[in-house]
Amino acid sequence: MESIRSLIGQMHGLVDRRLGPLGENLGPASGYTLRCLSCGHIAALVTPGNGGARPVGCLLCGKAYDDVAEVVNAYGMGSFYEAISEGGEPPAYECAECSTGQACVVPTQTADEPDGQVLLCLLGAHALEGICDFCQRAADFALPDMCSDCLDIRYAKF
């Protein structure tokens, strides 16, 4: 332990030196920068994807995910099986704004909200207000707890 303790200061120096230039890249993208599950630093940048190809990659350690399903499994809370069989919240939601039909929105911490949770779309790299009470998709609300699609459907009857 004594030989390792003396090296910890050098490791912190290496991480700080590596993070220095990355701050310029991460600053404007703080709304969609996640905590890396490999190295623990807030340096995993969500890249708006071509069909979801490698949406998250850590700029510090290089950890990358191959597709949205892998990111949902890593960052999602729980599993779809548990949510369906035992009830509860699913680990990811569909994005009403992207309209892909793919569960690509996860509740996660970002650089802007390191202590809270934000609903973040992994395909479009944008935050969403909440879950629509009617369609159960993540959306920005037109009315309280109702997305614009559900609002349009509701008022189409009149």
Side-chain angles (χ1 to χ4, degrees):
M1 284 299 280
E2 290 179 23
S3 62
I4 293 174
R5 263 191 205 137
S6 64
L7 298 174
I8 289 176
Q10 293 174 357
M11 286 190 277
H12 284 297
L14 174 68
V15 170
D16 291 341
R17 185 173 179 185
R18 177 84 170 106
L19 278 175
L22 293 179
E24 297 170 7
N25 294 335
L26 296 176
S30 62
Y32 48 91
T33 302
L34 309 177
R35 181 175 304 281
C36 178
L37 298 177
S38 292
C39 68
H41 291 280
I42 298 181
L45 189 63
V46 176
T47 307
N50 258 338
R54 197 197 285 174
V56 174
C58 181
L59 297 178
L60 183 64
C61 71
K63 171 70 175 167
Y65 295 93
D66 293 329
D67 59 8
V68 172
E70 191 176 350
V71 180
V72 167
N73 285 336
Y75 284 92
M77 306 287 184
S79 71
F80 288 107
Y81 174 77
E82 290 174 2
I84 293 170
S85 65
E86 299 174 14
E89 297 297 316
Y93 300 92
E94 290 180 28
C95 180
E97 307 302 317
C98 293
S99 300
T100 63
Q102 185 176 10
C104 60
V105 178
V106 293
T108 188
Q109 297 173 333
T110 64
D112 282 348
E113 294 287 335
D115 297 328
Q117 285 193 343
V118 175
L119 287 171
L120 184 71
C121 178
L122 299 171
L123 290 177
H126 56 89
L128 297 149
E129 287 182 36
I131 306 299
C132 177
D133 284 343
F134 295 90
C135 66
Q136 299 302 308
R137 296 184 302 165
D140 291 329
F141 297 133
L143 289 177
D145 301 331
M146 184 184 290
C147 68
S148 59
D149 291 343
C150 291
L151 182 66
D152 291 344
I153 291 168
R154 190 167 201 170
Y155 286 120
K157 298 176 183 177
F158 296 107

